[in-house]
Amino acid sequence: MSDELYFEDFKLGHKFASMSSTKVSAQEITEFAEKYDPQPFHLDEAAGKSTFFKGLAASGWLTAAIVMRMRVENIKVHGGMIGAGVEEIRWTEPVRPGDTLRTESEVIALRPSQKRPQYGLVTIFTNTFNQRDEVVMKSTVKFLAPMRNA
Amino acid sequence: MSDELYFEDFKLGHKFASMSSTKVSAQEITEFAEKYDPQPFHLDEAAGKSTFFKGLAASGWLTAAIVMRMRVENIKVHGGMIGAGVEEIRWTEPVRPGDTLRTESEVIALRPSQKRPQYGLVTIFTNTFNQRDEVVMKSTVKFLAPMRNA
């Protein structure tokens, strides 16, 4: 799809796949965890062994942030992608050091914004896959897109 | 509340307030954006002027990550806080450089995990406030807590 999408350019069922995959390193996992989710299983492989995760796993919020970057890279909204909210996130498999993530998204709802008549609300569902095509995260988010003729 | 909570220790209506507030700097906003949400209004005050946000604002995913850290600091679950999913996030006001955030959370649902009988699912609703007591984010998340007698 072309750059600079307006609300009218989105159609129900439109699909967007990430153009590239993203490798998640142990360093990125631990750096993010030190700042935002300082728990043993996100900080250290050895300390994670005796936990639920049986080793080092990425914070789900790191996965969500990586998926936001892929969304911004793949869906170019005129004026930028302005998040309007999250309807659901489910973390279905751990993300491990060295995993490579890609996304497939689909437009599942469209409606004009009641609060901001110059914008519409786009709801997209995204599956995030690892290199074994296992779904590691399912998410449904809403963002604003400007009306072309506002 | 004491350290090391088990599922049985959580009660409907329990409230948790963040013990300290967190100041969000322009540097943290732009560093996070460079990695995970590279859009003009999250990267640069001047570039943000002509956008929806009329200046520099934190990525909503940065706010969500900061709130995760406050949650981990304030609610000590035995074995760690293992995210089971997000039911809703709404970003209600922009977070600006220099804003100071604090949270108030409440347990709104409790049930045993069907998939993992040794765990229960705790659902908490969190309001995140800035220094003017404006709500900047509302979120409802679920996490696992181990059964004491599992």
Side-chain angles (χ1 to χ4, degrees), chain A residues 28 35-37 39 41 52 61-62 65 68-69 72 79-82 85-89 116 119, chain B residues 28 35-37 39 41 52 61-62 64-65 68-69 79-82 85-89 116 119:
Chain A
E28 183 168 17
K35 285 184 182 163
Y36 301 116
D37 195 349
Q39 304 200 83
F41 37 73
F52 181 87
W61 299 96
L62 170 57
M68 180 62 196
R69 186 181 63 225
V72 167
M81 182 177 279
I82 297 153
V86 174
E87 285 191 3
E88 188 177 35
I89 299 176
R116 297 185 178 86
Y119 285 91
Chain B
E28 183 168 17
K35 285 185 182 163
Y36 302 115
D37 195 349
Q39 303 200 86
F41 37 73
F52 180 87
W61 299 96
L62 170 57
M68 179 63 197
R69 186 181 62 224
M81 183 177 281
I82 296 153
V86 174
E87 286 190 5
E88 186 176 35
I89 300 176
R116 298 185 178 85
Y119 286 90

mmCIF file of all heavy atoms in Angstrom, chain A residues 28 35-37 39 41 52 61-62 65 68-69 72 79-82 85-89 116 119, chain B residues 28 35-37 39 41 52 61-62 64-65 68-69 79-82 85-89 116 119:
data_model
loop_
_atom_site.group_PDB
_atom_site.id
_atom_site.type_symbol
_atom_site.label_atom_id
_atom_site.label_comp_id
_atom_site.label_asym_id
_atom_site.label_seq_id
_atom_site.Cartn_x
_atom_site.Cartn_y
_atom_site.Cartn_z
ATOM 1 N N GLU A 28 19.017 -6.940 24.422
ATOM 2 C CA GLU A 28 17.806 -6.111 24.368
ATOM 3 C C GLU A 28 16.815 -6.554 25.457
ATOM 4 O O GLU A 28 16.179 -5.723 26.106
ATOM 5 C CB GLU A 28 17.160 -6.201 22.983
ATOM 6 C CG GLU A 28 15.938 -5.303 22.836
ATOM 7 C CD GLU A 28 15.453 -5.148 21.402
ATOM 8 O OE1 GLU A 28 15.830 -5.968 20.538
ATOM 9 O OE2 GLU A 28 14.686 -4.189 21.157
ATOM 10 N N LYS A 35 15.198 -1.561 32.935
ATOM 11 C CA LYS A 35 14.472 -0.284 33.000
ATOM 12 C C LYS A 35 13.003 -0.452 33.402
ATOM 13 O O LYS A 35 12.474 0.376 34.134
ATOM 14 C CB LYS A 35 14.524 0.410 31.633
ATOM 15 C CG LYS A 35 15.868 1.029 31.326
ATOM 16 C CD LYS A 35 15.798 1.783 30.000
ATOM 17 C CE LYS A 35 17.151 2.380 29.661
ATOM 18 N NZ LYS A 35 17.241 2.760 28.254
ATOM 19 N N TYR A 36 12.342 -1.498 32.866
ATOM 20 C CA TYR A 36 10.878 -1.496 32.946
ATOM 21 C C TYR A 36 10.233 -2.745 33.539
ATOM 22 O O TYR A 36 9.035 -2.716 33.839
ATOM 23 C CB TYR A 36 10.297 -1.233 31.545
ATOM 24 C CG TYR A 36 10.769 0.073 30.977
ATOM 25 C CD1 TYR A 36 11.552 0.132 29.827
ATOM 26 C CD2 TYR A 36 10.461 1.271 31.615
ATOM 27 C CE1 TYR A 36 12.006 1.346 29.330
ATOM 28 C CE2 TYR A 36 10.911 2.491 31.129
ATOM 29 C CZ TYR A 36 11.684 2.516 29.983
ATOM 30 O OH TYR A 36 12.136 3.715 29.499
ATOM 31 N N ASP A 37 10.979 -3.831 33.670
ATOM 32 C CA ASP A 37 10.335 -5.055 34.161
ATOM 33 C C ASP A 37 11.400 -5.909 34.854
ATOM 34 O O ASP A 37 11.728 -7.013 34.411
ATOM 35 C CB ASP A 37 9.701 -5.808 32.974
ATOM 36 C CG ASP A 37 8.699 -6.878 33.418
ATOM 37 O OD1 ASP A 37 8.647 -7.189 34.626
ATOM 38 O OD2 ASP A 37 7.978 -7.410 32.547
ATOM 39 N N GLN A 39 12.564 -8.335 36.703
ATOM 40 C CA GLN A 39 12.266 -9.611 37.349
ATOM 41 C C GLN A 39 13.294 -10.641 36.873
ATOM 42 O O GLN A 39 13.766 -10.565 35.733
ATOM 43 C CB GLN A 39 10.849 -10.055 36.991
ATOM 44 C CG GLN A 39 9.786 -9.005 37.348
ATOM 45 C CD GLN A 39 8.398 -9.619 37.456
ATOM 46 O OE1 GLN A 39 8.033 -10.168 38.489
ATOM 47 N NE2 GLN A 39 7.630 -9.539 36.388
ATOM 48 N N PHE A 41 13.454 -13.607 35.661
ATOM 49 C CA PHE A 41 13.317 -14.334 34.386
ATOM 50 C C PHE A 41 13.442 -13.428 33.163
ATOM 51 O O PHE A 41 13.492 -13.901 32.032
ATOM 52 C CB PHE A 41 11.996 -15.120 34.346
ATOM 53 C CG PHE A 41 10.840 -14.423 35.006
ATOM 54 C CD1 PHE A 41 10.241 -13.336 34.410
ATOM 55 C CD2 PHE A 41 10.364 -14.859 36.247
ATOM 56 C CE1 PHE A 41 9.167 -12.702 35.017
ATOM 57 C CE2 PHE A 41 9.298 -14.218 36.873
ATOM 58 C CZ PHE A 41 8.698 -13.135 36.256
ATOM 59 N N PHE A 52 9.005 -19.906 36.409
ATOM 60 C CA PHE A 52 7.952 -20.235 35.455
ATOM 61 C C PHE A 52 8.492 -20.369 34.028
ATOM 62 O O PHE A 52 8.076 -21.234 33.277
ATOM 63 C CB PHE A 52 6.914 -19.112 35.514
ATOM 64 C CG PHE A 52 5.735 -19.266 34.611
ATOM 65 C CD1 PHE A 52 4.615 -19.983 35.014
ATOM 66 C CD2 PHE A 52 5.716 -18.658 33.362
ATOM 67 C CE1 PHE A 52 3.511 -20.096 34.184
ATOM 68 C CE2 PHE A 52 4.613 -18.770 32.533
ATOM 69 C CZ PHE A 52 3.510 -19.498 32.942
ATOM 70 N N TRP A 61 6.046 -6.630 27.605
ATOM 71 C CA TRP A 61 5.979 -5.217 27.216
ATOM 72 C C TRP A 61 7.069 -4.869 26.219
ATOM 73 O O TRP A 61 6.909 -3.929 25.428
ATOM 74 C CB TRP A 61 6.016 -4.332 28.460
ATOM 75 C CG TRP A 61 4.839 -4.634 29.331
ATOM 76 C CD1 TRP A 61 4.820 -5.470 30.406
ATOM 77 C CD2 TRP A 61 3.499 -4.171 29.161
ATOM 78 N NE1 TRP A 61 3.550 -5.548 30.919
ATOM 79 C CE2 TRP A 61 2.728 -4.769 30.176
ATOM 80 C CE3 TRP A 61 2.877 -3.325 28.239
ATOM 81 C CZ2 TRP A 61 1.353 -4.527 30.306
ATOM 82 C CZ3 TRP A 61 1.516 -3.083 28.366
ATOM 83 C CH2 TRP A 61 0.774 -3.681 29.397
ATOM 84 N N LEU A 62 8.180 -5.618 26.247
ATOM 85 C CA LEU A 62 9.191 -5.454 25.193
ATOM 86 C C LEU A 62 8.623 -5.972 23.869
ATOM 87 O O LEU A 62 8.735 -5.305 22.838
ATOM 88 C CB LEU A 62 10.487 -6.196 25.557
ATOM 89 C CG LEU A 62 11.527 -6.301 24.428
ATOM 90 C CD1 LEU A 62 11.928 -4.924 23.883
ATOM 91 C CD2 LEU A 62 12.759 -7.065 24.896
ATOM 92 N N ALA A 65 6.338 -3.483 22.506
ATOM 93 C CA ALA A 65 7.038 -2.310 21.978
ATOM 94 C C ALA A 65 7.658 -2.616 20.608
ATOM 95 O O ALA A 65 7.590 -1.798 19.685
ATOM 96 C CB ALA A 65 8.113 -1.850 22.968
ATOM 97 N N MET A 68 4.970 -2.519 18.136
ATOM 98 C CA MET A 68 4.616 -1.135 17.800
ATOM 99 C C MET A 68 5.552 -0.608 16.724
ATOM 100 O O MET A 68 5.111 0.023 15.771
ATOM 101 C CB MET A 68 4.664 -0.235 19.045
ATOM 102 C CG MET A 68 4.302 1.222 18.760
ATOM 103 S SD MET A 68 2.594 1.414 18.124
ATOM 104 C CE MET A 68 2.658 3.093 17.449
ATOM 105 N N ARG A 69 6.863 -0.895 16.872
ATOM 106 C CA ARG A 69 7.800 -0.408 15.845
ATOM 107 C C ARG A 69 7.480 -1.026 14.481
ATOM 108 O O ARG A 69 7.464 -0.321 13.464
ATOM 109 C CB ARG A 69 9.244 -0.736 16.233
ATOM 110 C CG ARG A 69 10.241 -0.107 15.264
ATOM 111 C CD ARG A 69 11.669 -0.453 15.638
ATOM 112 N NE ARG A 69 11.903 -1.876 15.550
ATOM 113 C CZ ARG A 69 12.560 -2.593 16.483
ATOM 114 N NH1 ARG A 69 13.047 -2.022 17.560
ATOM 115 N NH2 ARG A 69 12.743 -3.881 16.317
ATOM 116 N N VAL A 72 4.477 0.768 13.030
ATOM 117 C CA VAL A 72 4.816 2.106 12.521
ATOM 118 C C VAL A 72 5.564 1.995 11.195
ATOM 119 O O VAL A 72 5.364 2.799 10.279
ATOM 120 C CB VAL A 72 5.659 2.871 13.568
ATOM 121 C CG1 VAL A 72 6.291 4.124 12.977
ATOM 122 C CG2 VAL A 72 4.799 3.233 14.770
ATOM 123 N N GLY A 79 0.249 11.973 9.058
ATOM 124 C CA GLY A 79 0.361 12.674 10.339
ATOM 125 C C GLY A 79 0.827 11.781 11.475
ATOM 126 O O GLY A 79 1.012 12.239 12.598
ATOM 127 N N GLY A 80 1.031 10.482 11.174
ATOM 128 C CA GLY A 80 1.547 9.572 12.203
ATOM 129 C C GLY A 80 0.465 8.672 12.779
ATOM 130 O O GLY A 80 -0.732 8.947 12.657
ATOM 131 N N MET A 81 0.912 7.580 13.387
ATOM 132 C CA MET A 81 -0.024 6.629 13.989
ATOM 133 C C MET A 81 -0.235 7.018 15.453
ATOM 134 O O MET A 81 0.672 6.884 16.278
ATOM 135 C CB MET A 81 0.543 5.219 13.896
ATOM 136 C CG MET A 81 -0.404 4.171 14.450
ATOM 137 S SD MET A 81 0.252 2.498 14.242
ATOM 138 C CE MET A 81 -0.176 2.195 12.531
ATOM 139 N N ILE A 82 -1.435 7.512 15.734
ATOM 140 C CA ILE A 82 -1.737 8.014 17.082
ATOM 141 C C ILE A 82 -2.582 6.957 17.788
ATOM 142 O O ILE A 82 -3.733 6.708 17.431
ATOM 143 C CB ILE A 82 -2.475 9.367 16.996
ATOM 144 C CG1 ILE A 82 -1.547 10.391 16.336
ATOM 145 C CG2 ILE A 82 -2.923 9.827 18.376
ATOM 146 C CD1 ILE A 82 -2.268 11.487 15.614
ATOM 147 N N GLY A 85 -5.791 3.265 21.858
ATOM 148 C CA GLY A 85 -6.030 2.320 22.944
ATOM 149 C C GLY A 85 -5.742 0.894 22.525
ATOM 150 O O GLY A 85 -5.501 0.603 21.356
ATOM 151 N N VAL A 86 -5.758 0.033 23.522
ATOM 152 C CA VAL A 86 -5.551 -1.403 23.324
ATOM 153 C C VAL A 86 -6.841 -2.097 23.731
ATOM 154 O O VAL A 86 -7.399 -1.801 24.792
ATOM 155 C CB VAL A 86 -4.388 -1.914 24.205
ATOM 156 C CG1 VAL A 86 -4.257 -3.422 24.114
ATOM 157 C CG2 VAL A 86 -3.079 -1.224 23.821
ATOM 158 N N GLU A 87 -7.325 -3.000 22.886
ATOM 159 C CA GLU A 87 -8.507 -3.785 23.270
ATOM 160 C C GLU A 87 -8.114 -5.104 23.892
ATOM 161 O O GLU A 87 -8.845 -5.634 24.724
ATOM 162 C CB GLU A 87 -9.404 -4.041 22.052
ATOM 163 C CG GLU A 87 -10.175 -2.802 21.647
ATOM 164 C CD GLU A 87 -11.253 -3.097 20.614
ATOM 165 O OE1 GLU A 87 -11.442 -4.274 20.239
ATOM 166 O OE2 GLU A 87 -11.883 -2.125 20.182
ATOM 167 N N GLU A 88 -6.981 -5.654 23.465
ATOM 168 C CA GLU A 88 -6.530 -6.904 24.067
ATOM 169 C C GLU A 88 -5.084 -7.194 23.691
ATOM 170 O O GLU A 88 -4.656 -6.902 22.574
ATOM 171 C CB GLU A 88 -7.394 -8.100 23.606
ATOM 172 C CG GLU A 88 -7.057 -9.378 24.364
ATOM 173 C CD GLU A 88 -7.927 -10.577 23.990
ATOM 174 O OE1 GLU A 88 -8.308 -10.699 22.822
ATOM 175 O OE2 GLU A 88 -8.185 -11.401 24.891
ATOM 176 N N ILE A 89 -4.342 -7.737 24.636
ATOM 177 C CA ILE A 89 -3.043 -8.354 24.332
ATOM 178 C C ILE A 89 -3.034 -9.702 25.038
ATOM 179 O O ILE A 89 -3.427 -9.801 26.207
ATOM 180 C CB ILE A 89 -1.850 -7.516 24.838
ATOM 181 C CG1 ILE A 89 -1.824 -6.127 24.189
ATOM 182 C CG2 ILE A 89 -0.526 -8.244 24.561
ATOM 183 C CD1 ILE A 89 -0.715 -5.212 24.719
ATOM 184 N N ARG A 116 -13.522 13.389 17.876
ATOM 185 C CA ARG A 116 -12.686 14.178 16.951
ATOM 186 C C ARG A 116 -13.172 13.927 15.534
ATOM 187 O O ARG A 116 -12.688 13.023 14.852
ATOM 188 C CB ARG A 116 -11.218 13.746 17.085
ATOM 189 C CG ARG A 116 -10.632 13.994 18.462
ATOM 190 C CD ARG A 116 -9.144 13.655 18.470
ATOM 191 N NE ARG A 116 -8.560 13.939 19.783
ATOM 192 C CZ ARG A 116 -8.558 13.093 20.793
ATOM 193 N NH1 ARG A 116 -9.121 11.899 20.662
ATOM 194 N NH2 ARG A 116 -7.994 13.435 21.940
ATOM 195 N N TYR A 119 -11.138 12.824 12.469
ATOM 196 C CA TYR A 119 -10.409 11.548 12.518
ATOM 197 C C TYR A 119 -11.370 10.361 12.476
ATOM 198 O O TYR A 119 -12.539 10.478 12.868
ATOM 199 C CB TYR A 119 -9.598 11.436 13.823
ATOM 200 C CG TYR A 119 -8.358 12.294 13.843
ATOM 201 C CD1 TYR A 119 -8.402 13.594 14.349
ATOM 202 C CD2 TYR A 119 -7.150 11.814 13.365
ATOM 203 C CE1 TYR A 119 -7.265 14.390 14.368
ATOM 204 C CE2 TYR A 119 -6.007 12.607 13.382
ATOM 205 C CZ TYR A 119 -6.066 13.887 13.886
ATOM 206 O OH TYR A 119 -4.940 14.667 13.897
ATOM 207 N N GLU B 28 14.376 10.120 28.190
ATOM 208 C CA GLU B 28 13.750 8.792 28.214
ATOM 209 C C GLU B 28 12.698 8.682 27.108
ATOM 210 O O GLU B 28 12.575 7.647 26.445
ATOM 211 C CB GLU B 28 13.116 8.532 29.590
ATOM 212 C CG GLU B 28 12.515 7.137 29.702
ATOM 213 C CD GLU B 28 12.132 6.746 31.129
ATOM 214 O OE1 GLU B 28 12.022 7.652 31.990
ATOM 215 O OE2 GLU B 28 11.959 5.534 31.373
ATOM 216 N N LYS B 35 13.946 3.582 19.632
ATOM 217 C CA LYS B 35 13.968 2.119 19.553
ATOM 218 C C LYS B 35 12.624 1.522 19.120
ATOM 219 O O LYS B 35 12.590 0.547 18.384
ATOM 220 C CB LYS B 35 14.333 1.528 20.928
ATOM 221 C CG LYS B 35 15.810 1.681 21.264
ATOM 222 C CD LYS B 35 16.116 0.974 22.576
ATOM 223 C CE LYS B 35 17.567 1.140 22.967
ATOM 224 N NZ LYS B 35 17.801 0.826 24.366
ATOM 225 N N TYR B 36 11.514 2.093 19.620
ATOM 226 C CA TYR B 36 10.260 1.357 19.516
ATOM 227 C C TYR B 36 9.081 2.125 18.915
ATOM 228 O O TYR B 36 8.070 1.512 18.589
ATOM 229 C CB TYR B 36 9.857 0.820 20.906
ATOM 230 C CG TYR B 36 10.908 -0.072 21.494
ATOM 231 C CD1 TYR B 36 11.601 0.262 22.652
ATOM 232 C CD2 TYR B 36 11.248 -1.267 20.846
ATOM 233 C CE1 TYR B 36 12.588 -0.558 23.171
ATOM 234 C CE2 TYR B 36 12.241 -2.090 21.359
ATOM 235 C CZ TYR B 36 12.907 -1.738 22.517
ATOM 236 O OH TYR B 36 13.892 -2.542 23.010
ATOM 237 N N ASP B 37 9.176 3.412 18.783
ATOM 238 C CA ASP B 37 8.019 4.155 18.261
ATOM 239 C C ASP B 37 8.525 5.442 17.605
ATOM 240 O O ASP B 37 8.264 6.546 18.069
ATOM 241 C CB ASP B 37 7.048 4.463 19.429
ATOM 242 C CG ASP B 37 5.673 4.900 18.950
ATOM 243 O OD1 ASP B 37 5.506 5.172 17.748
ATOM 244 O OD2 ASP B 37 4.754 4.991 19.803
ATOM 245 N N GLN B 39 8.358 8.137 15.763
ATOM 246 C CA GLN B 39 7.460 9.085 15.107
ATOM 247 C C GLN B 39 7.824 10.488 15.611
ATOM 248 O O GLN B 39 8.260 10.649 16.757
ATOM 249 C CB GLN B 39 6.011 8.753 15.433
ATOM 250 C CG GLN B 39 5.625 7.320 15.048
ATOM 251 C CD GLN B 39 4.121 7.148 14.922
ATOM 252 O OE1 GLN B 39 3.556 7.412 13.878
ATOM 253 N NE2 GLN B 39 3.475 6.723 16.000
ATOM 254 N N PHE B 41 6.441 13.132 16.794
ATOM 255 C CA PHE B 41 5.938 13.682 18.065
ATOM 256 C C PHE B 41 6.471 12.952 19.301
ATOM 257 O O PHE B 41 6.243 13.396 20.424
ATOM 258 C CB PHE B 41 4.400 13.706 18.075
ATOM 259 C CG PHE B 41 3.764 12.526 17.396
ATOM 260 C CD1 PHE B 41 3.777 11.271 17.979
ATOM 261 C CD2 PHE B 41 3.148 12.671 16.146
ATOM 262 C CE1 PHE B 41 3.206 10.181 17.349
ATOM 263 C CE2 PHE B 41 2.568 11.577 15.500
ATOM 264 C CZ PHE B 41 2.589 10.335 16.107
ATOM 265 N N PHE B 52 -0.555 16.327 15.923
ATOM 266 C CA PHE B 52 -1.657 16.085 16.851
ATOM 267 C C PHE B 52 -1.282 16.449 18.278
ATOM 268 O O PHE B 52 -2.091 16.992 19.025
ATOM 269 C CB PHE B 52 -1.995 14.593 16.766
ATOM 270 C CG PHE B 52 -3.116 14.118 17.645
ATOM 271 C CD1 PHE B 52 -4.430 14.171 17.211
ATOM 272 C CD2 PHE B 52 -2.850 13.593 18.908
ATOM 273 C CE1 PHE B 52 -5.463 13.706 18.013
ATOM 274 C CE2 PHE B 52 -3.883 13.137 19.717
ATOM 275 C CZ PHE B 52 -5.188 13.199 19.260
ATOM 276 N N TRP B 61 3.392 3.330 24.727
ATOM 277 C CA TRP B 61 4.031 2.069 25.127
ATOM 278 C C TRP B 61 5.123 2.311 26.148
ATOM 279 O O TRP B 61 5.443 1.414 26.941
ATOM 280 C CB TRP B 61 4.539 1.331 23.890
ATOM 281 C CG TRP B 61 3.392 1.013 22.986
ATOM 282 C CD1 TRP B 61 2.972 1.742 21.898
ATOM 283 C CD2 TRP B 61 2.451 -0.055 23.132
ATOM 284 N NE1 TRP B 61 1.841 1.165 21.363
ATOM 285 C CE2 TRP B 61 1.506 0.060 22.089
ATOM 286 C CE3 TRP B 61 2.321 -1.112 24.042
ATOM 287 C CZ2 TRP B 61 0.438 -0.831 21.940
ATOM 288 C CZ3 TRP B 61 1.268 -2.000 23.894
ATOM 289 C CH2 TRP B 61 0.339 -1.854 22.847
ATOM 290 N N LEU B 62 5.712 3.517 26.139
ATOM 291 C CA LEU B 62 6.641 3.881 27.218
ATOM 292 C C LEU B 62 5.865 4.037 28.527
ATOM 293 O O LEU B 62 6.283 3.527 29.574
ATOM 294 C CB LEU B 62 7.397 5.177 26.871
ATOM 295 C CG LEU B 62 8.223 5.772 28.023
ATOM 296 C CD1 LEU B 62 9.247 4.786 28.570
ATOM 297 C CD2 LEU B 62 8.911 7.062 27.583
ATOM 298 N N ALA B 64 3.126 2.607 29.302
ATOM 299 C CA ALA B 64 2.737 1.254 29.733
ATOM 300 C C ALA B 64 3.910 0.526 30.378
ATOM 301 O O ALA B 64 3.740 -0.202 31.358
ATOM 302 C CB ALA B 64 2.211 0.465 28.539
ATOM 303 N N ALA B 65 5.124 0.726 29.841
ATOM 304 C CA ALA B 65 6.309 0.064 30.392
ATOM 305 C C ALA B 65 6.658 0.627 31.776
ATOM 306 O O ALA B 65 6.992 -0.118 32.700
ATOM 307 C CB ALA B 65 7.490 0.214 29.430
ATOM 308 N N MET B 68 4.331 -0.812 34.204
ATOM 309 C CA MET B 68 4.715 -2.191 34.543
ATOM 310 C C MET B 68 5.772 -2.178 35.642
ATOM 311 O O MET B 68 5.687 -2.958 36.586
ATOM 312 C CB MET B 68 5.239 -2.929 33.302
ATOM 313 C CG MET B 68 5.668 -4.363 33.584
ATOM 314 S SD MET B 68 4.283 -5.425 34.149
ATOM 315 C CE MET B 68 5.159 -6.816 34.875
ATOM 316 N N ARG B 69 6.758 -1.277 35.510
ATOM 317 C CA ARG B 69 7.794 -1.232 36.550
ATOM 318 C C ARG B 69 7.179 -0.881 37.914
ATOM 319 O O ARG B 69 7.508 -1.479 38.940
ATOM 320 C CB ARG B 69 8.882 -0.218 36.188
ATOM 321 C CG ARG B 69 10.033 -0.262 37.187
ATOM 322 C CD ARG B 69 11.117 0.748 36.852
ATOM 323 N NE ARG B 69 10.599 2.100 36.912
ATOM 324 C CZ ARG B 69 10.850 3.053 36.003
ATOM 325 N NH1 ARG B 69 11.603 2.791 34.958
ATOM 326 N NH2 ARG B 69 10.331 4.252 36.140
ATOM 327 N N GLY B 79 7.383 -15.759 43.264
ATOM 328 C CA GLY B 79 7.843 -16.299 41.976
ATOM 329 C C GLY B 79 7.824 -15.287 40.855
ATOM 330 O O GLY B 79 8.217 -15.597 39.736
ATOM 331 N N GLY B 80 7.333 -14.066 41.146
ATOM 332 C CA GLY B 80 7.340 -13.019 40.124
ATOM 333 C C GLY B 80 5.967 -12.783 39.523
ATOM 334 O O GLY B 80 5.067 -13.618 39.623
ATOM 335 N N MET B 81 5.812 -11.613 38.910
ATOM 336 C CA MET B 81 4.543 -11.261 38.280
ATOM 337 C C MET B 81 4.588 -11.688 36.810
ATOM 338 O O MET B 81 5.318 -11.124 36.017
ATOM 339 C CB MET B 81 4.318 -9.748 38.383
ATOM 340 C CG MET B 81 2.977 -9.335 37.804
ATOM 341 S SD MET B 81 2.690 -7.560 38.004
ATOM 342 C CE MET B 81 2.186 -7.503 39.723
ATOM 343 N N ILE B 82 3.814 -12.716 36.513
ATOM 344 C CA ILE B 82 3.823 -13.294 35.168
ATOM 345 C C ILE B 82 2.573 -12.805 34.441
ATOM 346 O O ILE B 82 1.453 -13.175 34.768
ATOM 347 C CB ILE B 82 3.862 -14.832 35.246
ATOM 348 C CG1 ILE B 82 5.177 -15.247 35.910
ATOM 349 C CG2 ILE B 82 3.719 -15.462 33.869
ATOM 350 C CD1 ILE B 82 5.096 -16.574 36.609
ATOM 351 N N GLY B 85 -1.991 -11.220 30.281
ATOM 352 C CA GLY B 85 -2.646 -10.507 29.197
ATOM 353 C C GLY B 85 -3.124 -9.132 29.613
ATOM 354 O O GLY B 85 -3.073 -8.763 30.795
ATOM 355 N N VAL B 86 -3.554 -8.384 28.608
ATOM 356 C CA VAL B 86 -4.094 -7.043 28.811
ATOM 357 C C VAL B 86 -5.549 -7.078 28.369
ATOM 358 O O VAL B 86 -5.855 -7.605 27.301
ATOM 359 C CB VAL B 86 -3.321 -6.013 27.948
ATOM 360 C CG1 VAL B 86 -3.967 -4.643 28.038
ATOM 361 C CG2 VAL B 86 -1.858 -5.957 28.355
ATOM 362 N N GLU B 87 -6.437 -6.556 29.202
ATOM 363 C CA GLU B 87 -7.835 -6.467 28.787
ATOM 364 C C GLU B 87 -8.153 -5.123 28.165
ATOM 365 O O GLU B 87 -9.032 -5.009 27.330
ATOM 366 C CB GLU B 87 -8.769 -6.710 29.980
ATOM 367 C CG GLU B 87 -8.815 -8.168 30.365
ATOM 368 C CD GLU B 87 -9.911 -8.474 31.365
ATOM 369 O OE1 GLU B 87 -10.704 -7.586 31.712
ATOM 370 O OE2 GLU B 87 -9.949 -9.625 31.820
ATOM 371 N N GLU B 88 -7.460 -4.087 28.603
ATOM 372 C CA GLU B 88 -7.699 -2.771 28.008
ATOM 373 C C GLU B 88 -6.595 -1.806 28.420
ATOM 374 O O GLU B 88 -6.115 -1.847 29.562
ATOM 375 C CB GLU B 88 -9.047 -2.187 28.458
ATOM 376 C CG GLU B 88 -9.365 -0.888 27.712
ATOM 377 C CD GLU B 88 -10.735 -0.299 28.043
ATOM 378 O OE1 GLU B 88 -11.177 -0.405 29.206
ATOM 379 O OE2 GLU B 88 -11.350 0.277 27.135
ATOM 380 N N ILE B 89 -6.211 -0.958 27.486
ATOM 381 C CA ILE B 89 -5.412 0.232 27.811
ATOM 382 C C ILE B 89 -6.055 1.403 27.101
ATOM 383 O O ILE B 89 -6.429 1.303 25.932
ATOM 384 C CB ILE B 89 -3.943 0.108 27.336
ATOM 385 C CG1 ILE B 89 -3.233 -1.080 27.992
ATOM 386 C CG2 ILE B 89 -3.175 1.404 27.629
ATOM 387 C CD1 ILE B 89 -1.803 -1.301 27.477
ATOM 388 N N ARG B 116 -3.642 -23.851 34.173
ATOM 389 C CA ARG B 116 -2.541 -24.110 35.120
ATOM 390 C C ARG B 116 -3.115 -24.150 36.535
ATOM 391 O O ARG B 116 -3.188 -23.124 37.207
ATOM 392 C CB ARG B 116 -1.483 -23.010 35.016
ATOM 393 C CG ARG B 116 -0.828 -22.916 33.659
ATOM 394 C CD ARG B 116 0.287 -21.878 33.675
ATOM 395 N NE ARG B 116 0.966 -21.814 32.399
ATOM 396 C CZ ARG B 116 0.558 -21.092 31.359
ATOM 397 N NH1 ARG B 116 -0.531 -20.346 31.452
ATOM 398 N NH2 ARG B 116 1.247 -21.105 30.230
ATOM 399 N N TYR B 119 -1.981 -22.198 39.625
ATOM 400 C CA TYR B 119 -1.988 -20.730 39.584
ATOM 401 C C TYR B 119 -3.410 -20.183 39.603
ATOM 402 O O TYR B 119 -4.356 -20.860 39.193
ATOM 403 C CB TYR B 119 -1.316 -20.215 38.298
ATOM 404 C CG TYR B 119 0.185 -20.339 38.295
ATOM 405 C CD1 TYR B 119 0.794 -21.490 37.801
ATOM 406 C CD2 TYR B 119 0.987 -19.317 38.790
ATOM 407 C CE1 TYR B 119 2.183 -21.617 37.801
ATOM 408 C CE2 TYR B 119 2.372 -19.438 38.797
ATOM 409 C CZ TYR B 119 2.962 -20.582 38.304
ATOM 410 O OH TYR B 119 4.323 -20.702 38.317
#
